[in-house]
Amino acid sequence: DQQVKQNSPSLSVQEGRISILNCDYTNSMFDYFLWYKKYPAEGPTFLISISSIKDKNEDGRFTVFLNKSAKHLSLHIVPSQPGDSAVYFCAASASGGSNYKLTFGKGTLLTVNP
Amino acid sequence: GAGVSQSPRYKVAKRGQDVALRCDPISGHVSLFWYQQALGQGPEFLTYFQNEAQLDKSGLPSDRFFAERPEGSVSTLKIQRTQQEDSAVYLCASSRSGGANIQYFGAGTRLSVL
């Protein structure tokens, strides 16, 4: 069973507009969440993270929102740029002895059109 | 080096052949991880090292998979008697310390078993 779900395989937006990527999780033990960006033929690159004690974390154009009651997080990119076109992975780790282990979603392909 | 380095980038093996994949983590990083990424999926955890100690190998798919990090730096993932279902991208990641931390990924080794 998938504990981290990214239900949109792809998303297309216009340059300058907002991109919103969504992620749902089922494991209530997850308490640390990360977003990674991946270009073709490269490894995932860390983008932004959030701990469960917060509901928002912002870094430049990127903001992650966490709704614990809904077990939902989202990544907002404003304004979107063509260079943001990549696959975005949501990942989570659980509290406890295995907190080093990341569980990933399947990813969402974002295309930003000029 | 500046980032996590993996070699080879691509490996083609005949079914039944043994392969060895190398990972050079970021200098000074205590923790090292191996993930397997099948086509269209997110990375899946294989194993975790803290320095030279392999603390978790719960994700290794079978006893044909073996990983080591003898001096607490470079790591090798070995797959014996490769099968077609082993075809995937194998990603290595490292992090500064143990626990829930940002993991920095290499570009991966794409293994194709014919």
Side-chain angles (χ1 to χ4, degrees):
Chain A
D1 63 333
Q2 266 218 298
Q3 297 187 65
V4 177
K5 300 177 186 178
Q6 295 178 257
N7 292 319
S8 298
S10 62
L11 174 68
S12 184
V13 299
Q14 284 299 120
E15 181 178 5
R17 304 294 290 270
I18 185 171
S19 295
I20 300 176
L21 296 107
N22 293 304
C23 178
D24 297 293
Y25 61 96
T26 58
N27 188 341
S28 56
M29 297 298 288
F30 285 152
D31 66 350
Y32 184 58
F33 304 88
L34 308 90
W35 284 93
Y36 282 85
K37 177 170 77 172
K38 186 182 182 304
Y39 294 120
E42 294 185 14
T45 302
F46 170 74
L47 204 52
I48 193 168
S49 64
I50 188 167
S51 164
S52 61
I53 61 173
K54 294 186 173 182
D55 55 18
K56 176 183 173 180
N57 189 26
E58 193 172 350
D59 184 1
R61 296 185 298 115
F62 303 92
T63 303
V64 55
F65 295 92
L66 175 62
N67 182 335
K68 288 185 288 294
S69 60
K71 293 192 179 69
H72 176 83
L73 63 156
S74 60
L75 174 67
H76 293 211
I77 307 173
V78 184
S80 301
Q81 300 173 353
D84 296 330
S85 297
V87 176
Y88 288 77
F89 289 99
C90 172
S93 69
S95 59
S98 298
N99 60 355
Y100 49 81
K101 187 184 298 188
L102 293 182
T103 301
F104 284 83
K106 289 188 177 183
T108 297
L109 173 63
L110 173 66
T111 303
V112 180
N113 301 300
Chain B
V4 178
S5 177
Q6 291 187 246
S7 61
R9 288 295 312 276
Y10 303 93
K11 177 70 180 176
V12 178
K14 290 183 179 176
R15 193 173 53 177
Q17 207 174 353
D18 296 351
V19 298
L21 313 180
R22 177 188 167 108
C23 173
D24 219 318
I26 293 172
S27 177
H29 277 195
V30 165
S31 296
L32 185 144
F33 308 83
W34 285 97
Y35 290 82
Q36 180 189 59
Q37 185 176 16
L39 196 61
Q41 305 293 316
E44 290 197 3
F45 172 84
L46 293 178
T47 188
Y48 163 56
F49 288 86
Q50 190 168 91
N51 296 306
E52 69 280 0
Q54 188 175 22
L55 299 186
D56 188 340
K57 53 182 181 179
S58 63
L60 296 177
S62 75
D63 58 9
R64 295 186 296 103
F65 287 71
F66 171 77
E68 60 183 4
R69 192 186 186 198
E71 296 176 1
S73 178
V74 170
S75 175
T76 304
L77 177 67
K78 297 179 179 177
I79 309 173
Q80 297 176 323
R81 305 181 303 281
T82 52
Q83 304 294 314
Q84 280 191 317
E85 62 262 28
D86 300 335
S87 296
V89 175
Y90 291 86
L91 293 163
C92 176
S94 69
S95 69
R96 197 181 312 274
S97 59
N101 273 291
I102 298 166
Q103 296 180 20
Y104 298 90
F105 284 81
T109 295
R110 179 177 295 279
L111 173 65
S112 299
V113 182
L114 306 178

